[in-house]
Amino acid sequence: MGEALPEPDAGTQSHRDKTVLRGRRSGLTSGAHPYTRYHMTQVRVESFTLSLDGYGAGPNQDIDNPLGIGGTDLHHWLFPTHTFQQALFNKDGGTTGLDDAFASRGFRNMGAWILGRNMFGPVRGPWPDMSWKGWWGDNPPFHVPVFVLTHHARPPIEMEGGTTFHFVTGGIHEALDRAREAAAGKDVRIGGGPNIIQQYLREGLIDELHIAISPALLGNGERLFEGVDLRALGYECVESVASEKATHVVLRHPGHNAT
């Protein structure tokens, strides 16, 4: 659930190095060596759920189906957890245990998020007006800056609880530069959808992914790893454990530092 964005120009230097150099050129590091600001920041995908047939979202997303048709079936492991109930509904209670532990780690040390346009809402094309402010009400669960990738500019939106939505038209590298700066040494979470995660994976910019595999079949929708060769990119499975409702898998690039 994310808009396809133009691929960045290729070069002999890795895009991870270019990201740091852009930070230096734009003054993001305030004169310090770039790694003194960014070396601890990890770029992470957390609690992203796949169906057994490989889909990360259902088809035909609209106002009544934020995750696409059938998409809610993926998240039966997540919805009842204490973390989800507290983050989304500010409710006490909820389940604890393995599923909640994985849901909780997705908010740990998080300083900024990046979302695709479709993750922010069902509106396509130019913004008809400024009324849509996300799926989550006046107090979204992020509580940090959120950078929304889009082809259509829009002023930032300040919400309750510390969330500000910033709309980025310059592509995935600009969004990551700005998210790293906003995170101020904490981690950056790529929230999705599948297309946005694919773009960051292909550029080698994601350090770690937590994937939850749900015992559900969607039959159609958006595949997370469509056209992505994780083995060739250097990712390895470093953890795999199952609960009653999902199998949790952690993938990591061995050349990237773990949190």
Side-chain angles (χ1 to χ4, degrees):
M1 295 190 301
E3 289 190 346
L5 294 164
E7 291 294 330
D9 293 335
T12 57
Q13 185 181 30
S14 75
H15 285 298
R16 292 179 63 83
D17 290 342
K18 288 181 180 179
T19 297
V20 172
L21 291 174
R22 277 197 301 272
R24 179 189 290 171
R25 286 196 298 266
S26 61
L28 299 182
T29 55
S30 301
H33 189 281
Y35 284 105
T36 64
R37 182 68 177 269
Y38 290 150
H39 79 284
M40 292 301 292
T41 296
Q42 296 282 295
V43 180
R44 296 157 49 196
V45 172
E46 294 285 349
S47 298
F48 197 92
T49 307
L50 294 183
S51 65
L52 286 174
D53 46 353
Y55 294 102
N60 303 319
Q61 182 206 40
D62 58 26
I63 190 68
D64 297 316
N65 297 281
L67 303 175
I69 295 173
T72 56
D73 293 344
L74 299 177
H75 301 284
H76 292 312
W77 73 270
L78 177 63
F79 293 151
T81 63
H82 171 74
T83 297
F84 185 88
Q85 291 296 311
Q86 186 177 63
L88 270 293
F89 306 114
N90 197 29
K91 291 182 178 180
D92 294 328
T95 61
T96 57
L98 184 64
D99 290 335
D100 185 60
F102 274 99
S104 177
R105 63 167 262 163
F107 291 91
R108 191 177 307 135
N109 197 45
M110 212 59 67
W113 287 56
I114 296 174
L115 303 179
R117 167 78 178 266
N118 297 357
M119 286 287 289
F120 178 72
V123 182
R124 303 292 184 266
W127 303 98
D129 53 49
M130 300 295 109
S131 61
W132 182 264
K133 297 182 180 181
W135 301 101
W136 308 277
D138 293 331
N139 190 358
F142 309 104
H143 309 299
V144 294
V146 178
F147 296 86
V148 180
L149 284 154
T150 177
H151 295 298
H152 302 280
R154 182 175 174 177
I157 306 172
E158 291 190 24
M159 307 294 288
E160 296 176 11
T163 299
T164 299
F165 293 111
H166 302 272
F167 299 89
V168 181
T169 60
I172 63 171
H173 293 284
E174 179 187 334
L176 184 54
D177 286 346
R178 294 177 61 181
R180 278 179 162 150
E181 170 66 9
K186 292 187 176 182
D187 293 344
V188 174
R189 178 167 169 175
I190 311 295
N195 177 269
I196 297 300
I197 295 174
Q198 288 170 16
Q199 291 185 60
Y200 279 106
L201 278 172
R202 291 188 184 109
E203 298 301 320
L205 293 170
I206 294 176
D207 298 294
E208 188 171 277
L209 302 89
H210 161 229
I211 304 298
I213 303 170
S214 172
L217 296 170
L218 290 189
N220 198 357
E222 297 183 55
R223 294 185 184 273
L224 177 61
F225 298 128
E226 187 76 38
V228 177
D229 188 337
L230 291 172
R231 186 184 182 95
L233 288 168
Y235 289 91
E236 297 178 351
C237 180
V238 297
E239 184 176 0
S240 178
V241 61
S243 70
E244 293 182 1
K245 297 181 178 180
T247 298
H248 298 277
V249 176
V250 178
L251 305 175
R252 186 179 301 146
H253 196 292
H256 302 174
N257 292 326
T259 51

